[in-house]
PDB file of all heavy atoms in Angstrom:
ATOM      1  N   SER A   1       8.276  -4.160  -1.200  1.00  0.00           N
ATOM      2  CA  SER A   1       7.441  -4.920  -2.137  1.00  0.00           C
ATOM      3  C   SER A   1       6.041  -4.338  -2.223  1.00  0.00           C
ATOM      4  O   SER A   1       5.554  -3.726  -1.267  1.00  0.00           O
ATOM      5  CB  SER A   1       7.335  -6.385  -1.688  1.00  0.00           C
ATOM      6  OG  SER A   1       8.599  -7.001  -1.658  1.00  0.00           O
ATOM      7  N   LEU A   2       5.427  -4.546  -3.358  1.00  0.00           N
ATOM      8  CA  LEU A   2       4.023  -4.218  -3.568  1.00  0.00           C
ATOM      9  C   LEU A   2       3.427  -5.278  -4.482  1.00  0.00           C
ATOM     10  O   LEU A   2       4.149  -5.888  -5.286  1.00  0.00           O
ATOM     11  CB  LEU A   2       3.856  -2.842  -4.243  1.00  0.00           C
ATOM     12  CG  LEU A   2       4.031  -1.583  -3.410  1.00  0.00           C
ATOM     13  CD1 LEU A   2       3.973  -0.360  -4.319  1.00  0.00           C
ATOM     14  CD2 LEU A   2       2.970  -1.494  -2.319  1.00  0.00           C
ATOM     15  N   ARG A   3       2.126  -5.482  -4.365  1.00  0.00           N
ATOM     16  CA  ARG A   3       1.434  -6.373  -5.284  1.00  0.00           C
ATOM     17  C   ARG A   3       0.286  -5.609  -5.922  1.00  0.00           C
ATOM     18  O   ARG A   3      -0.604  -5.112  -5.234  1.00  0.00           O
ATOM     19  CB  ARG A   3       0.899  -7.619  -4.579  1.00  0.00           C
ATOM     20  CG  ARG A   3       0.371  -8.642  -5.590  1.00  0.00           C
ATOM     21  CD  ARG A   3      -0.091  -9.922  -4.934  1.00  0.00           C
ATOM     22  NE  ARG A   3      -1.438  -9.806  -4.379  1.00  0.00           N
ATOM     23  CZ  ARG A   3      -2.238 -10.844  -4.167  1.00  0.00           C
ATOM     24  NH1 ARG A   3      -1.839 -12.062  -4.486  1.00  0.00           N
ATOM     25  NH2 ARG A   3      -3.429 -10.652  -3.628  1.00  0.00           N
ATOM     26  N   LEU A   4       0.327  -5.539  -7.239  1.00  0.00           N
ATOM     27  CA  LEU A   4      -0.749  -4.918  -7.994  1.00  0.00           C
ATOM     28  C   LEU A   4      -1.730  -5.982  -8.468  1.00  0.00           C
ATOM     29  O   LEU A   4      -1.330  -7.105  -8.773  1.00  0.00           O
ATOM     30  CB  LEU A   4      -0.194  -4.168  -9.206  1.00  0.00           C
ATOM     31  CG  LEU A   4       0.899  -3.126  -8.951  1.00  0.00           C
ATOM     32  CD1 LEU A   4       1.273  -2.447 -10.256  1.00  0.00           C
ATOM     33  CD2 LEU A   4       0.475  -2.127  -7.909  1.00  0.00           C
ATOM     34  N   SER A   5      -2.990  -5.595  -8.538  1.00  0.00           N
ATOM     35  CA  SER A   5      -4.021  -6.489  -9.048  1.00  0.00           C
ATOM     36  C   SER A   5      -4.740  -5.829 -10.205  1.00  0.00           C
ATOM     37  O   SER A   5      -4.887  -4.611 -10.235  1.00  0.00           O
ATOM     38  CB  SER A   5      -5.039  -6.819  -7.957  1.00  0.00           C
ATOM     39  OG  SER A   5      -4.420  -7.445  -6.861  1.00  0.00           O
ATOM     40  N   CYS A   6      -5.169  -6.634 -11.136  1.00  0.00           N
ATOM     41  CA  CYS A   6      -5.951  -6.142 -12.267  1.00  0.00           C
ATOM     42  C   CYS A   6      -7.069  -7.140 -12.511  1.00  0.00           C
ATOM     43  O   CYS A   6      -6.817  -8.286 -12.894  1.00  0.00           O
ATOM     44  CB  CYS A   6      -5.084  -5.993 -13.503  1.00  0.00           C
ATOM     45  SG  CYS A   6      -6.000  -5.485 -14.971  1.00  0.00           S
ATOM     46  N   ALA A   7      -8.281  -6.702 -12.284  1.00  0.00           N
ATOM     47  CA  ALA A   7      -9.430  -7.576 -12.431  1.00  0.00           C
ATOM     48  C   ALA A   7     -10.263  -7.174 -13.636  1.00  0.00           C
ATOM     49  O   ALA A   7     -10.473  -5.981 -13.879  1.00  0.00           O
ATOM     50  CB  ALA A   7     -10.282  -7.518 -11.167  1.00  0.00           C
ATOM     51  N   ASP A   8     -10.719  -8.162 -14.351  1.00  0.00           N
ATOM     52  CA  ASP A   8     -11.684  -7.933 -15.420  1.00  0.00           C
ATOM     53  C   ASP A   8     -13.058  -7.930 -14.761  1.00  0.00           C
ATOM     54  O   ASP A   8     -13.681  -8.989 -14.610  1.00  0.00           O
ATOM     55  CB  ASP A   8     -11.583  -9.016 -16.490  1.00  0.00           C
ATOM     56  CG  ASP A   8     -12.678  -8.906 -17.548  1.00  0.00           C
ATOM     57  OD1 ASP A   8     -13.375  -7.867 -17.580  1.00  0.00           O
ATOM     58  OD2 ASP A   8     -12.831  -9.856 -18.336  1.00  0.00           O
ATOM     59  N   SER A   9     -13.502  -6.758 -14.359  1.00  0.00           N
ATOM     60  CA  SER A   9     -14.748  -6.680 -13.605  1.00  0.00           C
ATOM     61  C   SER A   9     -15.948  -7.046 -14.470  1.00  0.00           C
ATOM     62  O   SER A   9     -17.017  -7.358 -13.944  1.00  0.00           O
ATOM     63  CB  SER A   9     -14.933  -5.275 -13.020  1.00  0.00           C
ATOM     64  OG  SER A   9     -15.059  -4.328 -14.064  1.00  0.00           O
ATOM     65  N   GLY A  10     -15.766  -7.025 -15.779  1.00  0.00           N
ATOM     66  CA  GLY A  10     -16.865  -7.436 -16.642  1.00  0.00           C
ATOM     67  C   GLY A  10     -17.051  -8.944 -16.647  1.00  0.00           C
ATOM     68  O   GLY A  10     -18.066  -9.454 -17.111  1.00  0.00           O
ATOM     69  N   ARG A  11     -15.993  -9.662 -16.118  1.00  0.00           N
ATOM     70  CA  ARG A  11     -16.050 -11.117 -15.994  1.00  0.00           C
ATOM     71  C   ARG A  11     -16.498 -11.773 -17.295  1.00  0.00           C
ATOM     72  O   ARG A  11     -17.303 -12.687 -17.301  1.00  0.00           O
ATOM     73  CB  ARG A  11     -16.952 -11.543 -14.843  1.00  0.00           C
ATOM     74  CG  ARG A  11     -16.542 -10.962 -13.504  1.00  0.00           C
ATOM     75  CD  ARG A  11     -17.347 -11.558 -12.364  1.00  0.00           C
ATOM     76  NE  ARG A  11     -17.026 -12.945 -12.143  1.00  0.00           N
ATOM     77  CZ  ARG A  11     -16.008 -13.380 -11.436  1.00  0.00           C
ATOM     78  NH1 ARG A  11     -15.161 -12.525 -10.887  1.00  0.00           N
ATOM     79  NH2 ARG A  11     -15.808 -14.679 -11.270  1.00  0.00           N
ATOM     80  N   THR A  12     -15.936 -11.268 -18.382  1.00  0.00           N
ATOM     81  CA  THR A  12     -16.335 -11.795 -19.681  1.00  0.00           C
ATOM     82  C   THR A  12     -15.710 -13.164 -19.952  1.00  0.00           C
ATOM     83  O   THR A  12     -16.239 -13.926 -20.749  1.00  0.00           O
ATOM     84  CB  THR A  12     -15.907 -10.833 -20.802  1.00  0.00           C
ATOM     85  OG1 THR A  12     -14.477 -10.727 -20.804  1.00  0.00           O
ATOM     86  CG2 THR A  12     -16.510  -9.449 -20.578  1.00  0.00           C
ATOM     87  N   GLY A  13     -14.561 -13.428 -19.320  1.00  0.00           N
ATOM     88  CA  GLY A  13     -13.873 -14.684 -19.600  1.00  0.00           C
ATOM     89  C   GLY A  13     -13.338 -14.747 -21.009  1.00  0.00           C
ATOM     90  O   GLY A  13     -12.986 -15.824 -21.496  1.00  0.00           O
ATOM     91  N   SER A  14     -13.259 -13.621 -21.688  1.00  0.00           N
ATOM     92  CA  SER A  14     -12.861 -13.618 -23.088  1.00  0.00           C
ATOM     93  C   SER A  14     -11.456 -13.061 -23.296  1.00  0.00           C
ATOM     94  O   SER A  14     -11.027 -12.906 -24.433  1.00  0.00           O
ATOM     95  CB  SER A  14     -13.856 -12.798 -23.910  1.00  0.00           C
ATOM     96  OG  SER A  14     -13.875 -11.455 -23.465  1.00  0.00           O
ATOM     97  N   VAL A  15     -10.772 -12.752 -22.213  1.00  0.00           N
ATOM     98  CA  VAL A  15      -9.426 -12.189 -22.305  1.00  0.00           C
ATOM     99  C   VAL A  15      -8.409 -13.307 -22.236  1.00  0.00           C
ATOM    100  O   VAL A  15      -8.497 -14.194 -21.379  1.00  0.00           O
ATOM    101  CB  VAL A  15      -9.196 -11.183 -21.159  1.00  0.00           C
ATOM    102  CG1 VAL A  15      -7.737 -10.790 -21.073  1.00  0.00           C
ATOM    103  CG2 VAL A  15     -10.063  -9.951 -21.367  1.00  0.00           C
ATOM    104  N   TYR A  16      -7.413 -13.272 -23.124  1.00  0.00           N
ATOM    105  CA  TYR A  16      -6.387 -14.305 -23.141  1.00  0.00           C
ATOM    106  C   TYR A  16      -4.973 -13.756 -23.072  1.00  0.00           C
ATOM    107  O   TYR A  16      -4.014 -14.520 -23.062  1.00  0.00           O
ATOM    108  CB  TYR A  16      -6.538 -15.173 -24.394  1.00  0.00           C
ATOM    109  CG  TYR A  16      -7.804 -15.976 -24.393  1.00  0.00           C
ATOM    110  CD1 TYR A  16      -8.933 -15.551 -25.089  1.00  0.00           C
ATOM    111  CD2 TYR A  16      -7.890 -17.163 -23.672  1.00  0.00           C
ATOM    112  CE1 TYR A  16     -10.103 -16.284 -25.067  1.00  0.00           C
ATOM    113  CE2 TYR A  16      -9.058 -17.902 -23.647  1.00  0.00           C
ATOM    114  CZ  TYR A  16     -10.158 -17.457 -24.345  1.00  0.00           C
ATOM    115  OH  TYR A  16     -11.312 -18.180 -24.330  1.00  0.00           O
ATOM    116  N   THR A  17      -4.853 -12.468 -23.069  1.00  0.00           N
ATOM    117  CA  THR A  17      -3.546 -11.837 -22.929  1.00  0.00           C
ATOM    118  C   THR A  17      -3.698 -10.623 -22.028  1.00  0.00           C
ATOM    119  O   THR A  17      -4.617  -9.826 -22.215  1.00  0.00           O
ATOM    120  CB  THR A  17      -2.986 -11.368 -24.287  1.00  0.00           C
ATOM    121  OG1 THR A  17      -2.859 -12.494 -25.156  1.00  0.00           O
ATOM    122  CG2 THR A  17      -1.627 -10.715 -24.120  1.00  0.00           C
ATOM    123  N   MET A  18      -2.829 -10.505 -21.052  1.00  0.00           N
ATOM    124  CA  MET A  18      -2.818  -9.327 -20.193  1.00  0.00           C
ATOM    125  C   MET A  18      -1.389  -8.880 -19.988  1.00  0.00           C
ATOM    126  O   MET A  18      -0.457  -9.692 -20.021  1.00  0.00           O
ATOM    127  CB  MET A  18      -3.493  -9.614 -18.848  1.00  0.00           C
ATOM    128  CG  MET A  18      -4.976  -9.910 -18.993  1.00  0.00           C
ATOM    129  SD  MET A  18      -5.854 -10.062 -17.433  1.00  0.00           S
ATOM    130  CE  MET A  18      -6.046  -8.333 -16.971  1.00  0.00           C
ATOM    131  N   GLY A  19      -1.248  -7.596 -19.795  1.00  0.00           N
ATOM    132  CA  GLY A  19       0.085  -7.059 -19.612  1.00  0.00           C
ATOM    133  C   GLY A  19       0.075  -5.877 -18.671  1.00  0.00           C
ATOM    134  O   GLY A  19      -0.977  -5.325 -18.353  1.00  0.00           O
ATOM    135  N   TRP A  20       1.257  -5.548 -18.202  1.00  0.00           N
ATOM    136  CA  TRP A  20       1.461  -4.341 -17.397  1.00  0.00           C
ATOM    137  C   TRP A  20       2.462  -3.444 -18.111  1.00  0.00           C
ATOM    138  O   TRP A  20       3.503  -3.919 -18.589  1.00  0.00           O
ATOM    139  CB  TRP A  20       1.992  -4.711 -16.009  1.00  0.00           C
ATOM    140  CG  TRP A  20       1.003  -5.358 -15.109  1.00  0.00           C
ATOM    141  CD1 TRP A  20       0.798  -6.687 -14.919  1.00  0.00           C
ATOM    142  CD2 TRP A  20       0.056  -4.692 -14.254  1.00  0.00           C
ATOM    143  NE1 TRP A  20      -0.205  -6.889 -14.018  1.00  0.00           N
ATOM    144  CE2 TRP A  20      -0.684  -5.697 -13.590  1.00  0.00           C
ATOM    145  CE3 TRP A  20      -0.235  -3.356 -13.990  1.00  0.00           C
ATOM    146  CZ2 TRP A  20      -1.692  -5.396 -12.669  1.00  0.00           C
ATOM    147  CZ3 TRP A  20      -1.234  -3.065 -13.081  1.00  0.00           C
ATOM    148  CH2 TRP A  20      -1.938  -4.075 -12.436  1.00  0.00           C
ATOM    149  N   PHE A  21       2.100  -2.198 -18.160  1.00  0.00           N
ATOM    150  CA  PHE A  21       2.989  -1.174 -18.695  1.00  0.00           C
ATOM    151  C   PHE A  21       3.135  -0.095 -17.630  1.00  0.00           C
ATOM    152  O   PHE A  21       2.322  -0.022 -16.705  1.00  0.00           O
ATOM    153  CB  PHE A  21       2.405  -0.567 -19.979  1.00  0.00           C
ATOM    154  CG  PHE A  21       2.388  -1.519 -21.149  1.00  0.00           C
ATOM    155  CD1 PHE A  21       1.464  -2.553 -21.212  1.00  0.00           C
ATOM    156  CD2 PHE A  21       3.304  -1.394 -22.179  1.00  0.00           C
ATOM    157  CE1 PHE A  21       1.450  -3.452 -22.278  1.00  0.00           C
ATOM    158  CE2 PHE A  21       3.297  -2.268 -23.256  1.00  0.00           C
ATOM    159  CZ  PHE A  21       2.371  -3.295 -23.296  1.00  0.00           C
ATOM    160  N   ARG A  22       4.142   0.746 -17.768  1.00  0.00           N
ATOM    161  CA  ARG A  22       4.304   1.826 -16.800  1.00  0.00           C
ATOM    162  C   ARG A  22       4.775   3.085 -17.511  1.00  0.00           C
ATOM    163  O   ARG A  22       5.412   3.011 -18.564  1.00  0.00           O
ATOM    164  CB  ARG A  22       5.265   1.438 -15.696  1.00  0.00           C
ATOM    165  CG  ARG A  22       6.705   1.218 -16.144  1.00  0.00           C
ATOM    166  CD  ARG A  22       7.547   0.668 -14.987  1.00  0.00           C
ATOM    167  NE  ARG A  22       8.944   0.496 -15.363  1.00  0.00           N
ATOM    168  CZ  ARG A  22       9.855  -0.068 -14.577  1.00  0.00           C
ATOM    169  NH1 ARG A  22       9.515  -0.530 -13.371  1.00  0.00           N
ATOM    170  NH2 ARG A  22      11.111  -0.175 -14.996  1.00  0.00           N
ATOM    171  N   GLN A  23       4.449   4.201 -16.893  1.00  0.00           N
ATOM    172  CA  GLN A  23       4.842   5.484 -17.461  1.00  0.00           C
ATOM    173  C   GLN A  23       5.284   6.411 -16.345  1.00  0.00           C
ATOM    174  O   GLN A  23       4.498   6.744 -15.456  1.00  0.00           O
ATOM    175  CB  GLN A  23       3.689   6.109 -18.259  1.00  0.00           C
ATOM    176  CG  GLN A  23       4.094   7.339 -19.027  1.00  0.00           C
ATOM    177  CD  GLN A  23       3.056   7.753 -20.055  1.00  0.00           C
ATOM    178  OE1 GLN A  23       1.890   7.338 -20.003  1.00  0.00           O
ATOM    179  NE2 GLN A  23       3.464   8.562 -21.030  1.00  0.00           N
ATOM    180  N   ALA A  24       6.532   6.791 -16.415  1.00  0.00           N
ATOM    181  CA  ALA A  24       7.093   7.734 -15.459  1.00  0.00           C
ATOM    182  C   ALA A  24       6.930   9.148 -16.011  1.00  0.00           C
ATOM    183  O   ALA A  24       6.796   9.339 -17.227  1.00  0.00           O
ATOM    184  CB  ALA A  24       8.566   7.422 -15.217  1.00  0.00           C
ATOM    185  N   PRO A  25       6.948  10.160 -15.145  1.00  0.00           N
ATOM    186  CA  PRO A  25       6.795  11.548 -15.601  1.00  0.00           C
ATOM    187  C   PRO A  25       7.829  11.903 -16.658  1.00  0.00           C
ATOM    188  O   PRO A  25       9.020  11.654 -16.490  1.00  0.00           O
ATOM    189  CB  PRO A  25       7.001  12.356 -14.317  1.00  0.00           C
ATOM    190  CG  PRO A  25       6.607  11.431 -13.225  1.00  0.00           C
ATOM    191  CD  PRO A  25       7.044  10.068 -13.681  1.00  0.00           C
ATOM    192  N   GLY A  26       7.348  12.458 -17.761  1.00  0.00           N
ATOM    193  CA  GLY A  26       8.248  12.897 -18.817  1.00  0.00           C
ATOM    194  C   GLY A  26       8.798  11.790 -19.688  1.00  0.00           C
ATOM    195  O   GLY A  26       9.640  12.038 -20.552  1.00  0.00           O
TER     196      GLY A  26
END
């Protein structure tokens, strides 16, 4: 297992949708 984190360091509070995408080589 792993846990990824994604923080809005700008702390704008204006984000309402977030997603994760991934890209493997090639």
Side-chain angles (χ1 to χ4, degrees):
S1 299
L2 283 174
R3 189 177 81 156
L4 306 183
S5 300
C6 176
D8 174 12
S9 64
R11 303 188 69 83
T12 62
S14 61
V15 169
Y16 294 98
T17 300
M18 295 187 78
W20 288 94
F21 291 74
R22 65 187 182 186
Q23 188 166 18

